[in-house]
């Protein structure tokens, strides 16, 4: 018996999934509950097991292809017998019949995929088209397979250029001048020239690209930078690490930074917020769900530490470590990668000196944490001494947060990091 397996409903609000990896190929034998296919929804990979034991006789979606919920994924030949029709007996199952081949249809003119009934466009492009009042059915897609891109929307928005009958400004009389020599047009290398490797932008990398593009299009980014003397925190962390690491937990500076950020958000709650562009509202959040940008093999992930204000430094260290390990292994769930109210991006020792982080839209703030460097600094009393210095880069959505408020927030975070004992004296 042949069993057709279709993409199940794998999460609230999920309408489609992108095939990331097949664990089988046609002809393979598979058992029930063995890994069958990995599908990407939002930013989480979902591993779907086989519902049946049998032989794979048909794979109907390729890696990188999007399949809607209910769409056909795979056909499995099982040893199960088909259920006879009502009435029973051999006569209930018709003998195989020879079906004549249909007559070939006359050749048709190929059509653009974006105008032939199925519009290929990302969710961001669809939203932007709705905002601009553009009917995607009337837009010619110049992306892969006729996909409509943001550039296609801009072209449709501007419309075709029309020659004017007369110049806007009258020309001044001037003596005749010989026409200048027009240089030949520049022709970029063709697709086959100087290409070392073609890397498909799909899976998590594609989701990141769409999310970053949406953030830059919607939010008005600006970045504020401050330096912090981390000398006391470096000493405190070194003392605590000896005890914490006995519990199998690596104590980095990040848990302390999370605590300082939460303290800053409590003082300036408008930064612990998201923007609802559809309703033109700023949604100030009551919980402190901190996203931690984490490098993974397929791209950047942002696992979320929920209710960070209720957790100790050690508990934060343990959770951040576990989330990072599972992110690199690709086993984080969709709920662990969504719902953050503020994001921290840190590259640890590779953190560089300065950056302009892109907002994790629809959030209104993101903090970039840079490397700690020991260098000479002047103290308030005029003396020169060595100090462990670090820069913080705060990117904000200038539509809803002013520079002064951002500076006040960073000043509060800086105060807690430069005197980290405050983090333990503060009441929950």
């Amino acid at each position: 018996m042949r069993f057709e397996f279709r993409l199940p409903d794998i999460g609230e609000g999920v309408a489609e999934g992108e095939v990331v990896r097949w664990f089988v190929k046609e002809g393979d034998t598979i058992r029930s509950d063995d890994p069958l296919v990995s599908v990407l929804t939002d930013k989480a990979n979902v591993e779907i097991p086989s519902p049946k034991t049998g032989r794979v006789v048909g794979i109907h979606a390729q890696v990188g292809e999007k399949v809607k919920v209910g769409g056909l994924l795979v056909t499995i030949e099982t040893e199960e017998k088909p259920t006879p029709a009502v009435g029973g007996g051999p006569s209930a199952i018709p003998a195989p019949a020879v079906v004549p081949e249909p007559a070939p249809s006359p050749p048709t003119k190929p059509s653009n995929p974006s105008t032939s009934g199925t519009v290929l466009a990302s969710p961001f492009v669809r939203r932007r088209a709705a905002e601009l009042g553009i009917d995607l059915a009337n837009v010619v897609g110049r992306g892969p397979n006729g996909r409509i891109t943001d550039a296609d929307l801009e072209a449709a928005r501007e419309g075709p250029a029309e020659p004017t009958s007369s110049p806007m400004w009258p020309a001044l009389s001037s003596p005749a001048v010989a026409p200048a020599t027009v240089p030949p047009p520049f022709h970029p290398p063709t697709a086959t020239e100087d290409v070392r490797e073609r890397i498909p932008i799909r899976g998590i990398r594609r989701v990141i690209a769409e999310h970053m593009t949406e953030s830059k299009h919607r939010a008005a980014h600006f970045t504020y930078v401050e330096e912090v003397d981390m000398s006391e925190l470096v000493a405190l962390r070194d003392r605590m690490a000896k005890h914490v690491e006995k519990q199998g937990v690596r104590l980095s500076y990040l848990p302390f930074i999370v605590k300082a950020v939460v303290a800053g958000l409590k003082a300036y709650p408008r930064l612990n917020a998201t923007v609802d562009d559809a309703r033109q509202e700023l949604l100030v959040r009551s919980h402190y769900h901190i996203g931690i940008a984490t490098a993974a093999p397929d791209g950047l992930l942002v696992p979320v530490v929920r209710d960070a204000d209720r957790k100790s430094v050690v508990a934060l260290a343990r959770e951040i470590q576990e989330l990072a390990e599972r992110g690199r292994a690709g086993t984080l769930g969709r709920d662990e990668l969504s719902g953050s109210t503020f994001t921290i991006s840190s590259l640890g020792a590779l953190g560089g000196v300065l950056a302009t982080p892109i907002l994790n839209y629809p959030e209104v703030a993101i903090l970039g944490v840079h490397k700690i460097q020991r260098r000479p600094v002047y103290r308030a009393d005029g003396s020169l001494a060595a100090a462990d210095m670090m820069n913080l880069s705060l990117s904000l959505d200038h539509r809803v947060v002013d520079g002064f408020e951002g500076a006040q927030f960073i000043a509060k975070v800086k105060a807690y990091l430069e005197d980290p004992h405050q983090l333990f004296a503060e009441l929950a």
Side-chain angles (χ1 to χ4, degrees):
M1 174 182 175
R2 293 199 168 190
F3 173 78
E4 293 185 341
F5 181 55
R6 301 176 180 275
L7 181 63
D9 187 352
I10 48 182
E12 182 180 353
V14 174
E16 64 182 11
E18 179 181 338
V19 176
V20 176
R21 177 186 177 190
W22 282 103
F23 297 101
V24 295
K25 60 182 182 299
E26 290 187 3
D28 283 356
T29 299
I30 191 171
R31 294 178 302 176
S32 177
D33 294 328
D34 280 354
L36 177 65
V37 63
S38 180
V39 175
L40 177 71
T41 64
D42 264 354
K43 292 174 68 174
N45 281 337
V46 179
E47 190 174 292
I48 300 177
S50 173
K52 300 284 185 179
T53 295
R55 185 171 64 89
V56 177
V57 295
I59 289 178
H60 307 289
Q62 303 303 312
V63 171
E65 184 178 342
K66 290 184 178 180
V67 180
K68 294 189 178 299
V69 171
L72 184 59
L73 283 175
V74 65
T75 301
I76 301 173
E77 183 78 46
T78 72
E79 295 183 356
E80 299 175 3
K81 301 298 182 183
T83 304
V86 177
S91 60
I93 304 176
V98 178
V99 180
E101 290 287 333
S105 56
T108 58
K109 183 179 178 181
S111 59
N112 189 317
S114 66
T115 59
S116 60
T118 301
V119 176
L120 300 179
S122 69
F124 165 67
V125 169
R126 292 178 185 275
R127 284 196 299 270
R128 185 160 170 76
E131 292 171 358
L132 297 174
I134 297 175
D135 184 355
L136 290 178
N138 298 326
V139 179
V140 177
R142 295 177 175 83
N145 299 320
R147 179 180 292 274
I148 298 173
T149 67
D150 192 45
D152 297 329
L153 282 186
E154 291 299 324
R157 182 184 184 186
E158 294 171 2
E162 297 181 359
T164 55
S165 58
S166 60
M168 182 175 296
W169 300 104
L172 298 176
S173 59
S174 59
V177 179
T181 303
V182 179
F186 170 74
H187 295 289
T190 64
T192 58
E193 294 178 8
D194 196 31
V195 177
R196 178 177 178 179
E197 183 181 6
R198 289 182 180 272
I199 302 175
I201 301 175
R202 61 192 183 201
I204 291 178
R205 187 76 267 166
R206 176 189 55 76
V207 174
I208 293 172
E210 292 179 353
H211 190 62
M212 293 296 100
T213 301
E214 181 175 22
S215 179
K216 291 296 288 184
H217 269 292
R218 290 184 177 273
H221 285 67
F222 82 97
T223 302
Y224 179 84
V225 181
E226 179 62 283
E227 62 178 5
V228 180
D229 186 345
M230 298 283 284
S231 301
E232 285 199 36
L233 183 53
V234 168
L236 175 61
R237 178 257 173 196
D238 289 345
R239 288 194 299 271
M240 288 185 63
K242 298 176 183 177
H243 305 285
V244 174
E245 291 177 1
K246 293 178 181 178
Q247 305 174 37
V249 179
R250 180 180 175 274
L251 184 61
S252 67
Y253 296 103
L254 201 48
F256 298 96
I257 295 171
V258 170
K259 295 293 286 185
V261 162
V262 169
L265 293 176
K266 287 183 176 180
Y268 301 97
R270 285 169 56 90
L271 274 70
N272 190 55
T274 55
V275 174
D276 184 341
D277 275 305
R279 297 186 177 183
Q280 292 290 290
E281 293 177 346
L282 179 67
L283 309 179
V284 180
R285 304 295 184 176
S286 58
H287 292 271
Y288 300 91
H289 301 327
I290 308 300
I292 307 294
T294 303
D298 294 330
L300 192 68
L301 298 177
V302 187
V304 181
V305 178
R306 301 193 181 278
D307 297 312
D309 57 317
R310 303 178 185 178
K311 296 172 181 176
S312 67
V313 167
V314 177
L316 289 171
R318 181 179 290 108
E319 185 168 349
I320 291 170
Q321 179 177 314
E322 291 174 353
L323 289 171
E325 290 173 353
R326 293 179 53 220
R328 288 188 287 268
T331 59
L332 289 172
R334 185 169 181 265
D335 59 327
E336 296 173 300
L337 293 166
S338 59
S340 56
T341 60
F342 184 99
T343 296
I344 298 174
S345 179
S346 171
L347 286 176
L350 295 176
V353 176
L354 176 65
T356 55
I358 297 177
L359 292 168
N360 187 16
Y361 180 85
E363 295 170 26
V364 302
I366 181 172
L367 183 69
V369 178
H370 303 288
K371 64 183 176 182
I372 298 174
Q373 290 183 307
R374 192 161 182 80
R375 56 186 174 86
V377 297
Y378 282 102
R379 301 296 187 188
D381 59 2
S383 62
L384 185 65
D388 294 300
M389 302 299 295
M390 179 185 75
N391 287 347
L392 296 175
S393 299
L394 178 70
S395 287
L396 299 164
D397 189 341
H398 215 333
R399 298 178 302 166
V400 292
V401 182
D402 294 328
F404 183 69
E405 189 173 10
Q408 288 177 307
F409 168 79
I410 281 290
K412 178 68 70 172
V413 173
K414 175 178 178 176
Y416 275 92
L417 293 177
E418 291 188 339
D419 185 9
H421 296 89
Q422 294 182 78
L423 298 174
F424 302 96
E426 187 185 59
L427 295 176

